[in-house]
Amino acid sequence: MAKVCAATGEPFPPGASVRSALVDRDGAHVRLDFLLDAWDGPPPGTIGHWAVRAPDAEPEAEAVPLDADELLALLDSLGEAADANNDQQARVRYTLALLLLSEGRVELTEARDTPDGRLLILTGSGGEGPYEVPDLALPEEEIGGLEAGLPALLKERAD
């Protein structure tokens, strides 16, 4: 289950009633989770939907150090094509770009305005890239939630 509502971007309170939907987006199956108040019925392309409850609050876990090279490989594997086809992948990719920028593993070589919005052009410190990442200007809370999910995503990819 996602940590934030697909419609509002708000985090799910512990134990909240949530509606989930499995949606076909350009041939990819994407799970969307909604706060009950934000549920307007199944979104277009819904394969199925159900009710769930957000998990109870969990104790704060100890921070897991993230390997910048693994994060860069994940950024590369998600690819630019994912941005147009999968909103969640685009959000993860944007979060990865910000994290790698803050770690000095990539640098911003250009930011340009396009008809679809602002585009960030990044180059890896080892010459990797360039990587084109749409500037989604996500709220800090959402970025934090996405960043918290990166260790699990990296582990899933390794398995």
Side-chain angles (χ1 to χ4, degrees):
M1 186 170 112
K3 294 185 184 272
V4 298
C5 176
T8 66
E10 295 176 40
F12 295 118
S17 294
V18 176
R19 292 295 300 186
S20 297
L22 184 62
V23 179
D24 181 9
R25 292 255 172 101
D26 299 319
H29 295 147
V30 179
R31 178 179 172 164
L32 302 174
D33 298 301
F34 298 86
L35 287 164
L36 203 52
D37 292 345
W39 176 258
D40 291 331
T46 294
I47 298 167
H49 59 92
W50 59 96
V52 296
R53 188 160 299 282
D56 292 329
E58 297 177 14
E60 288 290 321
E62 200 171 304
V64 176
L66 298 172
D67 180 87
D69 289 333
E70 288 180 23
L71 295 175
L72 190 63
L74 180 57
L75 177 73
D76 192 42
S77 73
L78 290 176
E80 295 156 22
D83 293 344
N85 297 327
N86 186 320
D87 186 55
Q88 185 64 17
Q89 282 186 355
R91 290 171 182 277
V92 169
R93 199 160 188 268
Y94 175 73
T95 300
L96 282 167
L98 294 181
L99 184 58
L100 289 164
L101 275 167
S102 71
E103 295 291 322
R105 186 59 179 87
V106 297
E107 65 180 44
L108 179 63
T109 54
E110 183 183 354
R112 78 173 86 113
D113 292 320
T114 70
D116 295 326
R118 193 160 181 78
L119 190 62
L120 307 175
I121 314 299
L122 308 167
T123 304
S125 59
E128 304 90 351
Y131 303 100
E132 295 184 357
V133 179
D135 184 354
L136 301 178
L138 298 176
E140 189 174 323
E141 302 82 35
E142 184 174 354
I143 291 170
L146 291 165
E147 188 175 332
L150 290 176
L153 186 57
L154 289 169
K155 182 178 179 346
E156 180 181 299
R157 288 176 39 82
D159 291 341

